Amino acid sequence: MTKQAQPFGDVTAMMAQFKMPGIDMATIVEARRKDIQALIDANTASFESMQALASKQTEMLSQAMQGMQDAAKSFAGGGGLADAGKQGEAIRMGFEKTLANMKELADMAQHAQSEAMARITQRATDQMQEVKAMVTPK
C-alpha cells in the first residue's frame, strides 16, 4: 500500500495559533486524525474484500464453465442426452454447487462487512473514552 499524505500536519500547526483556555487543540486534531484513519482502514478492508469476492466469482465461473464443457462432452460422446437420469443428476449437482457457491459468497461478504463495522465500532468506543478523559477534571 502506498504511503498516504498526512492531511493533519498543516492543520495542527494552524490550530496551535488559536490557543483557547481549557481546550487542547492538539488532542482534538489527533482525535479527528484517528477518526479519519479508522475510516480509511475500514474502506481499505472493504476494498480488499470486494477484490477477494470478484476473484472468487471468477474462479467459480471458470469451474462452472469447465463443468458444462465436461457434461456436454460426456453427453455427446456416450449418448447421455437420451438418459434422463443422467441429465437430472447433472442438473441437481449443478444446482447444489450453485447454492454452495452463493452461500460462500454471502459468507465472505458478511465477514467483510462485520470486519469493517468492527473497526468503526472500535474507533467510536475509543473516541468515547477520549471524550470522557477530556471532560474529566484532572
Side-chain angles (χ1 to χ4, degrees):
M1 190 168 167
T2 61
K3 182 167 172 67
Q4 298 176 4
Q6 297 297 327
F8 291 94
D10 295 333
V11 175
T12 304
M14 182 182 74
M15 295 305 270
Q17 297 174 6
F18 302 104
K19 295 183 181 181
M20 301 169 123
I23 297 178
D24 183 2
M25 293 307 281
T27 303
I28 292 171
V29 170
E30 178 62 15
R32 296 303 71 80
R33 185 198 65 75
K34 289 179 182 177
D35 292 346
I36 290 173
Q37 188 60 50
L39 286 173
I40 290 169
D41 292 346
N43 284 334
T44 299
S46 294
F47 178 73
E48 289 169 355
S49 296
M50 286 181 1
Q51 285 181 317
L53 278 170
S55 175
K56 188 63 176 176
Q57 287 175 327
T58 301
E59 177 188 330
M60 289 174 178
L61 180 60
S62 294
Q63 289 175 354
M65 290 305 209
Q66 185 62 47
M68 286 192 296
Q69 284 178 344
D70 293 345
K73 285 178 186 175
S74 72
F75 287 147
L81 289 174
D83 188 353
K86 285 185 180 179
Q87 288 178 352
E89 181 64 17
I91 291 170
R92 184 189 63 78
M93 288 174 53
F95 183 71
E96 287 175 357
K97 179 69 173 167
T98 300
L99 287 177
N101 287 344
M102 289 173 58
K103 181 183 181 324
E104 185 176 356
L105 290 173
D107 289 346
M108 287 175 72
Q110 190 272 334
H111 175 74
Q113 186 178 22
S114 294
E115 185 179 326
M117 194 60 184
R119 291 174 191 230
I120 298 296
T121 302
Q122 182 60 49
R123 179 60 201 139
T125 301
D126 293 347
Q127 188 174 33
M128 291 304 295
Q129 295 300 322
E130 291 168 1
V131 168
K132 187 186 279 186
M134 280 192 257
V135 174
T136 304
K138 296 178 180 167

